[in-house]
C-alpha cells in the first residue's frame, strides 16, 4: 500500500470535510489516505478510461480536498463550470509510459519536499512586491541578472485546478516569478515535458552535461542564448541548446522563472528554474539554476540558492594551487 497524507497537497482552505484522491486503475487500489484531524471522511476514487474529471469531482462532493494522480490530460484540467465556485483541486502529473506506482511514490516525496520551497516562493513574491525586482548572482561564473515582477499566483483559490508541485504550474501555464534580464548561470538536471517520450529522452540526454557543469545564458528582452561554457564540460549542452534554438526559434524565449523540484528525479532539491516553452509548444523544458543565489535588490535574506560568497576573480576562480606533500623523514640505512 502507498500512504497519502492530505497535508502534502494542501489544496484548499480549512473547512473541507473529506479527503479524496483520484487515480487510474489499478493504482487506486494501492492507495491509502492517512487520517487527519480535520477530515471526517477519506476516499480513493478510481478513474476509469474515458471518465471525466467533472464526473469524478461530482462523485467526490463539493466539500472535499481533492488530489488527482494521473498522466491523462483529461483528468488534469477542468473549467470553472465543472469545478464549481467552492472546489479546489490539486493535480499531480505522472510521466506517461512510466511505472505509475513508482511515479506516485516519487511525486508524494516531491510534494513533501516542496513545502519548504513553497515558503521560499512566497518569500520571493513578498520581496518582489516590496522592491520590485530580485537579483540573481552566481559566484563561480560571475553571472548577474535582475528579475522584475509581476509575480505569480500566491494562493490555491477555490474554483480552479492547481498543478503540484510548485514547478509544474509554471511549466504548464507559464505563470512564474517573472522573466530575468542579464546573464544567468544554469546548472542541474533539466526538466523536459511534452512531445513524445523519445524526443524528451533525446533532449535530456543532450543537456545531461548541465548536471555537472554550469553554462551561462545571456537573457535579453526575454530571449536566451548560450554565451559561455565551462571548457570540456557544458560546451556539449551549449551546442545542443544553440541547435535547438535554431531549429525552433520560439523555444529560445524564456517564459518565466519558477522555484520547485523535478518530480522525475528522486531526491531532487528545489531550485530556481528558467522556463522555456509554454502551453502552445509541444516541447517544454526548464533549466535549473542550482548554484545561483536569489536575493531582493536591497540585499536582504537569501531567497533561493547558496549563500553568497565573494567571487575569486572577475569571472572564473583563480588557478588551482597543487597540494604539496610533506617530505618523508630520512631514515638511516641499516646495511
Amino acid at each position: 500500500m502507498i500512504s497519502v497524507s492530505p497535508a502534502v497537497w494542501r489544496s484548499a482552505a480549512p473547512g473541507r470535510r473529506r479527503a479524496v484522491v483520484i487515480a487510474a486503475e489499478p493504482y487506486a487500489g494501492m492507495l491509502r489516505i492517512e487520517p487527519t484531524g480535520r477530515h471526517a471522511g477519506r476516499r480513493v476514487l478510481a478513474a476509469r478510461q474515458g471518465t471525466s474529471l467533472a464526473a469524478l469531482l461530482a462523485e467526490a462532493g463539493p466539500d472535499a480536498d481533492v488530489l488527482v494522480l494521473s498522466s491523462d490530460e483529461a483528468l488534469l484540467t477542468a473549467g470553472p463550470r465543472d469545478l464549481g465556485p467552492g472546489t479546489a483541486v490539486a493535480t499531480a502529473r505522472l510521466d506517461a509510459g512510466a511505472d505509475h506506482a513508482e511515479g506516485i511514490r516519487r511525486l508524494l516525496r516531491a510534494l513533501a519536499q516542496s513545502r519548504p520551497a513553497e515558503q521560499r516562493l512566497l518569500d520571493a513574491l513578498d520581496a518582489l512586491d516590496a522592491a520590485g525586482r530580485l537579483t540573481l548572482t552566481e559566484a563561480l561564473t560571475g553571472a548577474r541578472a535582475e528579475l522584475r515582477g509581476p509575480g505569480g499566483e500566491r494562493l490555491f483559490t477555490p474554483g480552479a485546478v492547481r498543478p503540484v508541485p510548485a514547478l509544474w504550474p509554471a511549466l504548464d501555464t507559464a505563470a512564474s516569478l517573472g522573466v530575468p534580464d542579464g546573464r544567468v548561470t544554469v546548472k542541474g538536471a533539466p526538466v523536459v515535458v511534452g512531445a513524445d517520450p523519445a524526443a524528451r529522452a533525446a533532449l535530456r540526454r543532450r543537456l545531461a552535461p548541465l548536471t555537472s557543469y554550469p553554462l551561462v545564458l545571456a537573457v535579453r528582452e526575454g530571449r536566451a542564448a548560450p554565451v559561455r561554457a565551462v571548457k570540456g564540460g557544458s560546451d556539449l549542452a551549449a551546442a545542443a541548446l544553440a541547435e535547438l534554438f535554431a531549429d525552433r526559434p520560439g523555444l529560445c524565449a524564456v517564459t518565466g522563472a519558477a522555484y520547485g523540484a523535478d518530480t522525475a528525479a528522486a531526491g531532487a532539491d528545489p531550485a530556481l528554474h528558467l522556463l522555456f516553452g509554454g502551453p502552445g509548444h509541444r516541447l517544454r523544458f526548464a533549466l535549473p539554476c542550482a548554484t545561483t543565489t536569489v536575493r531582493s535588490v536591497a540585499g536582504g535574506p537569501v531567497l533561493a540558492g547558496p549563500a553568497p560568497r565573494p567571487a575569486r576573480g572577475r569571472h572564473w576562480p583563480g588557478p588551482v594551487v597543487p597540494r604539496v606533500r610533506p617530505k618523508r623523514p630520512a631514515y638511516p640505512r641499516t646495511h
Side-chain angles (χ1 to χ4, degrees):
M1 297 293 290
I2 302 174
S3 294
V4 185
S5 170
V8 300
W9 76 85
R10 296 188 300 175
S11 64
R16 300 296 192 255
R17 293 187 296 179
R18 286 187 293 273
V20 177
V21 175
I22 296 173
E25 294 180 318
Y27 304 101
M30 302 168 57
L31 300 175
R32 169 188 171 272
I33 302 177
E34 296 178 3
T36 67
R38 63 180 264 199
H39 296 101
R42 305 181 304 277
R43 190 178 182 190
V44 177
L45 298 179
R48 298 172 180 82
Q49 188 172 7
T51 305
S52 68
L53 180 56
L56 290 164
L57 292 177
E59 189 175 351
D63 56 352
D65 272 339
V66 181
L67 172 66
V68 181
L69 301 166
S70 180
S71 60
D72 185 354
E73 292 293 332
L75 294 178
L76 297 171
T77 58
R81 294 175 60 183
D82 297 325
L83 288 172
T87 303
V89 181
T91 59
R93 183 186 300 275
L94 300 176
D95 196 10
D99 177 5
H100 280 194
E102 181 56 30
I104 289 172
R105 292 187 179 95
R106 282 201 304 265
L107 272 166
L108 294 176
R109 286 194 297 268
L111 284 171
Q113 293 170 356
S114 70
R115 294 185 68 177
E118 288 183 7
Q119 186 57 53
R120 289 284 187 94
L121 180 62
L122 292 175
D123 291 342
L125 289 167
D126 288 340
L128 270 176
D129 284 346
R133 51 188 173 150
L134 304 176
T135 60
L136 282 61
T137 57
E138 210 275 344
L140 174 66
T141 62
R144 181 181 178 87
E146 287 192 351
L147 193 152
R148 300 175 183 270
E153 294 183 3
R154 295 168 179 267
L155 301 176
F156 195 170
T157 55
V161 172
R162 176 199 186 190
V164 292
L167 179 59
W168 291 100
L171 283 174
D172 291 336
T173 65
S176 75
L177 289 171
V179 177
D181 184 76
R183 294 196 172 197
V184 182
T185 299
V186 293
K187 182 179 183 296
V191 183
V192 185
V193 298
D196 60 88
R200 292 198 303 271
L203 184 56
R204 286 195 192 102
R205 185 169 58 252
R206 297 195 66 185
L207 298 180
L210 295 178
T211 303
S212 303
Y213 300 97
L215 170 66
V216 178
L217 301 179
V219 183
R220 300 295 183 194
E221 298 181 352
R223 303 180 77 83
V227 295
R228 186 186 290 269
V230 176
K231 58 183 179 181
S234 57
D235 49 347
L236 297 176
L241 276 179
E243 181 180 327
L244 178 66
F245 293 161
D247 291 342
R248 306 185 186 187
L251 279 182
C252 73
V254 180
T255 53
Y259 191 75
D262 177 14
T263 59
D269 293 325
L272 186 77
H273 289 69
L274 288 190
L275 311 177
F276 295 83
H281 292 91
R282 293 185 61 247
L283 184 67
R284 293 162 287 161
F285 62 98
L287 300 180
C289 308
T291 57
T292 295
T293 300
V294 182
R295 306 177 78 182
S296 66
V297 69
V302 173
L303 302 170
R309 59 184 175 86
R312 298 170 57 192
R314 185 176 179 185
H315 289 294
W316 304 102
V320 176
V321 178
R323 292 187 301 171
V324 178
R325 295 184 179 180
K327 293 183 178 179
R328 293 181 179 179
Y331 295 99
R333 298 183 180 219
T334 58
H335 60 279

